[in-house]
Amino acid sequence: MKLTLIFYIIIGAGGAKNGPKRFVFSWRICNFEGIKRPKMTTTSSLYVHIPFCKRLCGYCDFYKTMSLGRKAEVVDALCEEIARRAPMLESTVLKTIYFGGGTPTVCTADELGQIVAAAREVFDCSEVEEMTIEANPDDLTDDYLQGLRRVGFNRLSIGIQSFADEDLQFMNRRHDGAGAVRAVEAARRAGFDNISIDLIYGLPTATEQGWRANVEQAVALGVEHISAYHLTIEEGTLFGKRGVKTAPEEVADREYEILCEVLGRAGYDHYEISNFSLPDRRSKHNSAYWRGTPYLGVGPAAHSYDGVATRSWNVASVARYLEGVRPEEEHLSIGELYEEYVMVRLRTKEGLSVSEVEQRFGREYVQKLLAAAEQFVGCDWLVSDGDQIRCAEEHWLVSDAVIAELF
């Protein structure tokens, strides 16, 4: 098994000066020798995958199951895996903990607390700054939110996707638009002051006016963080099986422009292509991923990275996970690490550091980077500012074209 990352890219038909052409490519990480090992950091992150859902959303491609009968067994197995794999993060301090899924909020607060207690037993959690749980709006009752607070969660990531009932019914979501608003209001009453919501654009059911209303509703609620993703149709999803199509490209592009316009005017920092935050409210967990910080992922289908050159992943099956099937792994070459560094960093506001490229990968890769970047700096798709190279925000929609050329 290989880890495959799928990206939408836009390639200029004749270089940076000509019109863009959009297509999808699959970038597959393979095994090579000759890895130059960068210095290990002293901070790390923990990801916990809860693979259960009460309903399957049409677009979701993450591993999940609606069979909840073995939930208690999985919770016990998660605690065991945390203890067994703790040496991977030896001599590091946890900075972030993130519960994703699936739908983590199908677990009771006590079940979640059991997992958090297992982590605190084996990791140095004295410096954890952010503990996030993904949540479905209709799970967030007042009592349940108080339970999450008692466990130690200080950040919510609420899967709202849309405030429009038509969109939510199309996606097969459990909540309606009014329920989404109530969930944010209940979280505020419970004391959460760091709330992120997810939105999806490029839906065939949406209109420009409806999408603008979605973004303005998010602003009106005052949420600290917004992640907005273009609808992607994957083969194994309900949408894929039904042959659902996304909105036309020009419609989705206009929705992205509206997103940036409305959130920028409201004071949100556009710090990554799909992520916006109020000041000092960036996702610390996701930012750690983008910096290459080591992380341990536990649970079915969870991925891990040692911060050097080794990735591993658990089996995507509750039954086999409970049977004790151990993770598979792969070792990345220096060339693959360089490509991933460029890909991830150029999706962020700050971009990449030339001196860091030299420190981590060597002078040869600096020369390769600067030579490839020259044409894009010349036409203002890339901005070179001293040691930093970044994508100009007005060209983020075509940033993957630049990234592909820099590999």
Side-chain angles (χ1 to χ4, degrees):
M1 178 179 176
K2 301 296 181 187
L3 177 64
T4 303
L5 305 177
I6 307 296
F7 297 94
Y8 284 91
I9 71 171
I10 304 171
I11 297 295
K17 296 181 180 180
N18 293 324
K21 184 182 298 180
R22 184 183 296 248
F23 65 93
V24 180
F25 83 103
S26 172
W27 183 55
R28 185 177 296 273
I29 299 176
C30 305
N31 292 320
F32 295 95
E33 301 298 326
I35 297 171
K36 181 178 179 180
R37 298 168 71 88
K39 184 179 179 181
M40 176 72 83
T41 61
T42 58
T43 62
S44 59
S45 297
L46 174 67
Y47 172 76
V48 181
H49 189 76
I50 305 295
F52 300 108
C53 288
K54 295 178 182 178
R55 183 185 294 186
L56 298 184
C57 301
Y59 56 86
C60 182
D61 194 38
F62 294 113
Y63 175 69
K64 70 278 182 187
T65 176
M66 290 195 298
S67 300
L68 306 185
R70 307 191 75 178
K71 180 159 65 81
E73 293 178 73
V74 168
V75 170
D76 289 339
L78 285 167
C79 295
E80 185 277 330
E81 186 185 5
I82 287 171
R84 173 169 51 82
R85 300 185 66 193
M88 176 183 164
L89 301 183
E90 188 176 10
S91 302
T92 70
V93 176
L94 277 187
K95 285 288 190 177
T96 66
I97 300 174
Y98 192 104
F99 279 62
T103 309
T105 49
V106 302
C107 289
T108 66
D110 286 343
E111 288 170 332
L112 297 168
Q114 181 183 339
I115 300 167
V116 172
R120 288 174 173 154
E121 185 72 23
V122 296
F123 297 122
D124 181 353
C125 296
S126 61
E127 297 184 23
V128 169
E129 299 173 343
E130 180 185 275
M131 193 160 87
T132 303
I133 184 166
E134 293 180 354
N136 241 45
D138 55 349
D139 292 329
L140 298 180
T141 65
D142 290 337
D143 287 346
Y144 188 72
L145 284 160
Q146 290 297 338
L148 295 180
R149 295 281 292 166
R150 286 193 295 272
V151 169
F153 291 102
N154 60 10
R155 184 173 184 269
L156 286 178
S157 178
I158 306 176
I160 287 175
Q161 317 311 349
S162 176
F163 293 96
D165 290 346
E166 181 184 5
D167 296 344
L168 295 168
Q169 291 165 9
F170 172 75
M171 290 185 279
N172 201 35
R173 296 293 293 168
R174 282 196 272 140
H175 66 281
D176 59 17
V181 173
R182 287 195 301 270
V184 175
E185 293 171 345
R188 292 292 190 218
R189 288 196 301 271
F192 282 95
D193 63 359
N194 196 1
I195 298 173
S196 177
I197 67 169
D198 288 349
L199 296 175
I200 293 179
Y201 65 97
L203 291 167
T205 52
T207 64
E208 179 176 319
Q209 181 181 3
W211 173 247
R212 183 180 292 274
N214 263 332
V215 181
E216 290 176 345
Q217 175 66 84
V219 170
L221 287 170
V223 294
E224 285 75 20
H225 189 278
I226 298 170
S227 296
Y229 302 105
H230 188 293
L231 175 65
T232 303
I233 309 296
E234 303 292 354
E235 282 188 17
T237 63
L238 295 178
F239 280 176
K241 294 173 183 177
R242 296 171 183 168
V244 171
K245 303 297 183 183
T246 64
E249 179 183 322
E250 61 273 15
V251 174
D253 289 354
R254 176 57 185 151
E255 289 176 335
Y256 187 77
E257 292 170 358
I258 291 170
L259 174 75
C260 297
E261 168 203 326
V262 174
L263 294 185
R265 193 168 59 242
Y268 285 82
D269 176 25
H270 191 183
Y271 72 101
E272 195 269 348
I273 288 179
S274 301
N275 288 275
F276 303 77
S277 75
L278 293 178
D280 300 320
R281 292 299 190 176
R282 294 185 179 188
S283 168
K284 294 180 180 180
H285 187 84
N286 287 343
S287 295
Y289 286 155
W290 303 329
R291 289 194 303 270
T293 298
Y295 59 90
L296 172 63
V298 297
H303 287 246
S304 303
Y305 174 56
D306 70 352
V308 182
T310 301
R311 295 196 183 282
S312 59
W313 55 90
N314 285 336
V315 63
S317 163
V318 166
R320 296 187 66 202
Y321 177 75
L322 292 176
E323 289 169 2
V325 175
R326 293 302 190 250
E328 296 183 58
E329 68 176 34
E330 64 181 356
H331 305 281
L332 308 181
S333 72
I334 189 170
E336 292 168 317
L337 291 168
Y338 166 77
E339 289 184 353
E340 183 165 310
Y341 172 89
V342 170
M343 175 184 66
V344 173
R345 296 301 179 90
L346 284 182
R347 290 177 60 88
T348 66
K349 178 180 179 179
E350 286 75 22
L352 58 79
S353 162
V354 175
S355 59
E356 186 177 8
V357 170
E358 182 167 12
Q359 178 186 3
R360 295 183 60 173
F361 308 108
R363 186 63 189 171
E364 173 190 351
Y365 282 91
V366 172
Q367 293 170 344
K368 176 181 178 180
L369 168 68
L370 295 178
E374 184 176 3
Q375 64 170 319
F376 297 105
V377 172
C379 66
D380 296 328
W381 283 20
L382 283 178
V383 177
S384 180
D385 183 14
D387 185 56
Q388 299 297 119
I389 295 177
R390 57 183 174 82
C391 282
E393 184 176 359
E394 60 269 26
H395 295 304
W396 268 8
L397 271 177
V398 296
S399 63
D400 287 333
V402 179
I403 293 170
E405 290 293 323
L406 297 184
F407 283 174

